Amino acid sequence: MMPIQIRMILWLGFLVVCTTPASVFAVDEIDYVRDVKPILKTHCFRCHGPLKVESGLRLDTKSLALTGGESGPALVPGNSDASNLVQRITGDDDSRMPPEGERLGDKEIKTLKKWIAAGADSPANEKVEDPRSHWSYQPILRPEPPTVGDGEWSRNPIDAFIARKQQESQVVPRPLASRHVLLRRVYLDLIGLPPTRAQLRAFLDDKSSGAYERAVNSLLASSHYGERWGRRWLDVWRYSDWYGFQNQVRFSQKNIWHWRDWVVESLNADKGYDRMVMEMLAGDEIVPFDPRNLRATGFLVRNRNTDSREQWIRDTIEHTAKAFLGLTMACAQCHDHPYDPIWHEEYYRYRNIFEPVQVGIDSGGGGPTGEDLAGVARIYDRNRNAVTKFYIRGNDRTPDEKRKITPGVPQVFFEWTEPESVQLPPKARIPHLREPVYKQTIARMEYDVRQSEQAVLAAEKYLAATKQRLAKSSTDHSTPAADTFVIEPFQEMRGDVWKQGRGKWDYSNGHLAQTLVNEQRDCYLEAVRQPPAKFTLRLRLRITGGTEGLVGVLFNRSKDGSRGEAVLLSVNKEKPGLRFFFEYGDERHFYDKYDRELPITTGEEFVLRVDVRDKLVNVYLNDLLQQAYEVTSGDSGDLRLLAIDASAEFYHLRIDSLPDDVPMVPARTIPLFAPFAQLDKSHPSHMSLAGAVIEQSQLQFEVNKAQLASYQATWAADSWKLLNAPPKEDDNATKSHKTRLDELALVAQVAQRQLTLAQSKEARFKADHELKVATAQSEVGKKGDEKEVEKLVKALEGAKKKVASTTKQVETAEQALKDPPMPKYQGLSDNYGSSSGRRLALARWVSDTRNPLTARVAANHIWLRHFGRALVGTVFDFGLNGSKPSHPNLLDWLAYELMHPSLVLESNGADVRWVEGQPATRPWSMKHLHRLIVTSRAYRTASTPDEKNLAADPDNHWLWRMPPQRMDAETVRDSVLAVAETLDKTRGGPALPSFDGMSVPRRSLYFHMSPEKQMAFLKLFDGADPTECYHRHVSIVPHQALALFNSQLAVAQSRVLTRRMSQQFSDTNTFIQAAFEQVLSRPITEKEFKICRDFLTAREEVYRENGDPASVTSQAIKVDQPSIDPRLHARENLVHSLFNHHDFVTIK
Amino acid sequence: MNIQHQMQAYSLCRRTFLADAGMGFTGLALGALLQEDGYSAEPVKSQVPAKATSVIWIFLAGGVSHLESFDIKPALDKYAGKTFDQTPFKDFLDQEKREKNLMGSGMSVPPRKELMALNTGYRKYGECGLEVGDWFSHIGECADDLAVVRSLWTVHPNHGMQLTWHTGMHVRDGAQPTIGSWVSYGLGSLNQQLPKFIAMGKSIGGCCGGEFGHGAAYLGPQYAGVKISTDLKNPLQFVKPYGTGVTAEEQAAELDLIGQLNRATGVEYPDDPDLRARIRSYELSAGMQIAVPELMRLDQETTHTQELYGIDQEHSREFGTQCLVARRMVEKGVRFVQLYHGAGSAGTWDAHSDIKKRYNKEAPKVDKPIAGLLKDLKQRGLLDSTLVVFGTEFGRTPGAQGTGRDHHPQGFTCWLAGGGIKGGITHGATDELGFYAVENPHYVTDIHATVLHQMGLDAQHLAVPGRKRIDIHRGQTINEIVE
């Protein structure tokens, strides 16, 4: 068996992302710097280095090792076995080193021994390296841009830094990109959409100076800028819509799209980066009751993981540190950070900041029914005193109970200001005091009142209809007038009635049988015609086998199958009876709460009756009412006979329209009708049920009215008390405030007592009926076995007790109302309490201009997205294990300029340059940085290669050219729509279903995005991984070709565009040129023109020969088919091909 | 390190460098494509001599009972109904012992104290006399081709283990390269019209890794399993043009135009790797449009072959189809075919209750198809070069959980066949009750290392700079089962 060791190694698995391989090769000559020091660094420096000097020993230079610590020198040059170091790393007792984690490998030990044995040589000038002196931990100063002469590289400090490096590295920058290339580049970069043909032409025609800068300004002012860069930041900030198990939210949260909208709006408003970070971390503590602000905390909400609170907090720690600080904090979870000066305990201190958090949704004044779309998913401190435990070796099973953890940040950077608890104002503590929430609640309650009023009317109507029917039935036994939709005796296949779907359907022996079982998918027969919207259906059938054993009808099914409702008979041994489900999108949800468990078995014959009117469904089995419920959608649709892993025989089906005067049992009356099971055959029992339904609905009506009144009275008292309190020192005002409060409190108390009475009456009514059910069941069950009888007797006793207790409650409530009222009432609930202020302290520390990491990390992310390559390659790791900046001074200059903008763009005739001045932008303005970058010479460089440069700098390290990039996923999709001029520019709102992505022309960032539901098209083009995406991968795979070649998006949009353009450009030559300009935003070359011209000629020929009509004047053709006109058809092929051109998806 | 080894390491290093650098640069991400296209100087050489050219990786989701499949324990019948305390195995339920290798909190499974008799019969098969439960009698007929590893153990007693089975890492480590993606990453293509790594069947549930089960994580999406459905109508996303009326001739003409225009645009960008890769991707996509539907042409197979895979029977049709398509893929040179069975949520093999009824239903869905696959590969001479792996995330408890058995990570079984694996042997063992892996215990990644080894790759040297995996994530080749 693998020993404990393994477990420990596995725990160290957390380390994996942080550790680098110690590349150890057997070499003859041992070199201290190359071979020895890295080993010591990996295994020893953490405790015996500049940051921690355990036992007085340091091993970070050879001379320090020789000096040694409490146990004497670590080395005896020339004698490895006598060296303390070797003894410790090879020992087996408690003194072996390192004390935790993997021991040194054999090769490593060999290397060290060999080095010592050979005399332990080292360079004489070895210096102490202190990780605290790492470049990114130093304060950000403003480096002076180098002087690079007076040329075109001198007009923007960015260029000075770039040009200096190029000069040093002897690469020669490529010339300026041509203007059309540049315009497309900057459009796609800043707004994620290519220029239209008109925009392109206008720009090319504008030869005046500053034309480019003006274009940049208008792009930055466009609201599309926020969408483009919002999506980019959402990569870094891990945007994900909710996901989980079926419709259960387990990760992230519903309504988190409010945060996405906040990001877009904040960017468009050029809110400072510092402010954005602060609001994301602590929006609820900064401006606690402003829902617009609360949206920002979606950043933290996104980490929610209901499966594991541990994982939730771990993700929060890891990703706040990676996103804002470029720190790999997660490494310090099990031990001190192996590279960076972050202690094991600091990890837990940092964790303590987030320990209190919880996720909530503040209702937000949306509509009274359905999802509360306006509700904001937000973070709050649930327990401001939450304690963090220090986990020994990061194992949550071994917490160190003694160690007390206080909130903190890594000490190495700069001190933070200790958190102070934040007293939340009443409006923040109690969302109901906020106007929209109050309004929303009132609206919902008023809706409930109206609903229950309607229910009373429906119940009365039910009674009236029943009476009428009763009167009529004494003389006339026919059913009310109805249109027969179908009578199907299942004698033979009738193609005019049924379309056969999956399954094995046969007509024989005078019935229809379905015999395919053990199929995971449904077997079905679909009615050719759509049944009436309101119908009554009677199906005589027998289930003969199958494991799931579910057979029934699917109705209200939409054409695309994305919606439908089903009633099923089940002979499944685990759940026999009636079952119900609805379908939404590609998911199926059973209404478990409506299940009717009935002792039915294989081989029995049943008559299933389903009455459907609007959303109301009544289900009968052998004429006994079994269920009355409301479906999710009342929209009518197609009908199917359905068999789910079941074989069945069908004998008769009849569907009639359901006249409005046929009584239907209202929904949610389940406990009521059980005693009246023989409903359909006995009109008197119908009467009796109707009476009960009326009583119940009236009681419900009373409850709802009392609820509204009570809420209003409580709200009035609370808001007077909490929002209108006068200053304490004003005695008079305090007195009159109290008088008014007492009045309101009296009203509130009476209203609350009335509510209690109404509720207890309703409870008593329910108890009465449950007793009736229990009595009836115990009558029937007397014949059953002993256990069963015992159970029924118990249930009966319980029901009796409940009647007694509810009766008592009613009496108490009645008495209370007789008592004189007092100014005491139950206030609105205090949802949020006070906040610990820990996150606010963190937010201030992160966004402080003294923080050496924040601005550098942000500037690097921005640079990466403009140039397709970052200045620091490891964008989320600026620590000692991260990569070094290619242009350290440039990065610092950008970071400084981000925090303290100091340049303005000056235009003096043809000379456009950045000079010192007072920019109109605020500190931390991202638009300022974008403007600086995209107007730089470096950004405007051509992307064409050059042999000499390629040889000198193949990776384009020194930016001698603009790296050509493939559009990211969203840009591909959005550009297709933009080019076709069909893009719906509506901004914001709830996430759209991802399966609509090929047909709904909204921008890509508005579609549902989560690990489970990501639009296939976007995924294929390397769309962001919603779990982590600091840097997008880019691939070129055949699936992308298929997606752009065959998808509805590409095919339909190219046809739309062709047909529209053809109306404008009937001349073929002009059309070809215009198509190039429209799709690729560039002029066509002669060679390309010839290829296209030949193609069109050849295609037209083919289509004509194939017998297509010579010309078609009417264009009433759908986009799912090519045009009939050969000329148009050929043009569609051309435009579609241009969408698949390398130059379409490439940003040059 | 000998020179040859160094050379191989170098070539792989270059390869990994190409892929890694590609995180920032599209062009360089195309190591494999370029190399297959003849643009890259060195082909990726095998690190060790390859025995197999393709893998068919079968995964049964939910945790198949090892006790009633390939690690039969007659002692269970003997002690059935007794508690552990009433047997010589009193100490087996000791908490510390049971949970020794488990990871994280809340990870244990309650002890199932009362031993449960076998729920199926069993008998010996083949010359080797391998005992196999009756649920897998067809596979039993292939006993002499199987190497059964009976001593697997793992750290995760829950279904997150489904991901671990494929990545070798804990589910909370999230997306990591899967075994198939390493093969795809490490080896060149044998067919220019098809992807190297294809996955079929329903992906594992969102609880347990979802699409990560055939992902490539940091190796890059081009190495991930391409999901191909055996829904004969729609085997590949976007494989057919939208709408109606588009002819193949028309598509070919367009592809030709795209090729011409792309080549014409390259003037200013000579030798642009992106451009070449895109041209190549359009060519491959055209190939896939034809080759993928062609794979699904099962009408090209004889009735006898279809019957061999159980396609003629309702219950085994679906998985039989997958197995047969897998064989057709292997014939066309696909490197790694991953077949999921019973996946989605916990998995259909998760028999907490009514194990008898459940396996009576589940086993016939796969038994004949898998046996058919082995027999068919063998008769076509493909078994020598095709490695078939039969796996699941863990076994099931010897103790009863009502009428079922609970999750059991302390000892369980998988088997391998073909591709240079010894036939007719068992390796490793659990104790008399099938509780602990006691003889030659193997962590699940040893299966990965063995598969890679047979494909000519050395698990120890498959790595991407900056993405270190520790030993246990890589595993070690099980030399005893290798020919």
Side-chain angles (χ1 to χ4, degrees), chain A residues 1 7 10 16 396-397 516 943 945 1016 1022 1031 1034 1039 1046 1099 1103 1120 1122 1129 1133 1136 1140 1142-1143, chain B residues 23 26 99-100 104 155 221 226 237-238 242 244 249-251 254 262 265 269 278 282 289 314 437 468:
Chain A
M1 287 294 297
R7 197 160 89 204
L10 285 167
V16 168
D396 49 30
R397 297 163 105 199
L516 178 61
S943 63
D1022 310 305
H1031 199 311
V1034 183
H1039 310 64
N1046 287 337
R1099 290 318 297 163
Y1103 297 135
D1120 63 356
H1129 191 173
N1133 291 151
H1136 178 245
N1140 284 275
H1142 178 69
D1143 287 358
Chain B
M23 292 167 80
T26 49
E99 296 182 7
K100 191 163 84 172
V155 294
V226 175
Q237 276 170 328
F238 304 116
Y242 163 75
T244 52
E249 183 270 341
E250 178 180 357
Q251 287 209 309
E254 276 200 34
N262 278 341
T265 202
Y269 295 82
R278 182 145 295 108
Y282 272 83
Q289 269 184 289
E314 298 298 343
K468 194 195 173 193

Side-chain angles (χ1 to χ4, degrees), chain B residues 56 82 86 122 127 165 223 354 361 390 410 449 456 473:
Chain B
I56 297 176
K82 291 202 164 79
Q86 297 162 334
Y122 61 92
E127 283 176 30
W165 180 256
Y223 301 110
D354 247 335
K361 181 180 158 198
F390 172 102
Q410 291 89 349
H473 296 148

Side-chain angles (χ1 to χ4, degrees), chain A residues 1-4 6-7 9-14 16-17 19-21 25 102 245 250 311 314 396-397 504 516-521 547-548 573-574 645 868-869 943-945 955 961 963-964 966 998 1012 1016-1017 1019-1020 1022 1025 1027 1031-1048 1051-1052 1055 1076 1082 1087-1088 1091-1092 1095 1099 1102-1103 1119-1122 1129 1132-1134 1136-1138 1140-1143 1145-1146 1148, chain B residues 1 17 22-26 28-30 33 99-106 108 153 155 169 172-173 175 195 202 206-207 211-212 217-218 220-222 226 231 236-247 249-251 253-255 257-258 260-265 268-270 272 274-275 277-278 281-282 284-286 288-289 314-315 317-318 342 345 348 354 357 361 365 410 436-438 441 443 466-473:
Chain A
M1 287 294 297
M2 288 293 173
I4 294 283
I6 288 295
R7 197 160 89 204
I9 292 173
L10 285 167
W11 274 107
L12 289 172
F14 285 116
V16 168
V17 283
T19 49
T20 46
F25 294 96
E102 271 177 290
F245 182 65
R250 289 191 179 173
Q311 195 60 43
R314 262 186 232 149
D396 49 30
R397 297 163 105 199
K504 206 162 174 295
L516 178 61
V517 291
N518 283 323
E519 270 278 302
Q520 296 207 351
R521 288 163 298 169
T547 312
E548 286 296 332
K573 286 202 180 71
E574 278 160 32
D645 191 4
R869 68 170 303 160
S943 63
T944 49
D955 294 337
R961 68 158 160 169
R966 210 232 28 238
M998 294 296 92
E1012 284 181 344
F1017 186 91
K1019 215 170 159 180
L1020 290 176
D1022 310 305
D1025 173 355
T1027 52
H1031 199 311
R1032 285 213 191 172
H1033 290 257
V1034 183
S1035 70
I1036 301 178
V1037 292
H1039 310 64
Q1040 294 160 356
L1042 288 173
L1044 259 186
F1045 201 65
N1046 287 337
S1047 65
Q1048 176 178 0
V1051 174
R1055 287 175 187 160
F1076 255 71
R1082 70 167 169 89
K1087 189 176 175 192
E1088 287 166 336
I1091 293 170
C1092 294
F1095 174 82
R1099 290 318 297 163
V1102 170
Y1103 297 135
V1119 287
D1120 63 356
Q1121 288 163 11
H1129 191 173
E1132 286 168 6
N1133 291 151
L1134 173 65
H1136 178 245
S1137 299
L1138 292 182
N1140 284 275
H1141 197 297
H1142 178 69
D1143 287 358
V1145 292
T1146 306
K1148 284 191 167 167
Chain B
M1 182 181 281
F17 165 75
M23 292 167 80
F25 293 95
T26 49
L28 297 176
L30 298 155
L33 269 180
E99 296 182 7
K100 191 163 84 172
N101 293 320
L102 304 187
M103 266 175 82
S105 60
S108 67
W153 65 274
V155 294
M169 289 175 73
R172 73 176 146 221
D173 292 320
K202 191 175 181 182
C207 52
E211 303 293 314
F212 296 165
Y218 54 76
Q222 64 270 44
V226 175
D231 175 358
L236 184 67
Q237 276 170 328
F238 304 116
V239 73
K240 278 189 184 156
Y242 163 75
T244 52
V246 177
T247 64
E249 183 270 341
E250 178 180 357
Q251 287 209 309
E254 276 200 34
L255 282 168
L257 172 67
I258 294 165
Q260 281 190 58
L261 289 175
N262 278 341
R263 277 185 283 273
T265 202
E268 284 184 296
Y269 295 82
D272 181 13
D274 282 19
L275 177 60
R278 182 145 295 108
S281 78
Y282 272 83
L284 186 54
S285 81
M288 277 167 69
Q289 269 184 289
E314 298 298 343
H315 59 264
R317 176 180 299 154
E318 186 168 348
S345 65
T348 56
D354 247 335
K357 182 179 146 199
K361 181 180 158 198
K365 292 183 188 169
Q410 291 89 349
Y436 293 103
V438 289
Y443 187 61
R467 301 280 187 174
K468 194 195 173 193
R469 298 187 301 158
I470 58 177
D471 286 351
I472 194 159
H473 296 148

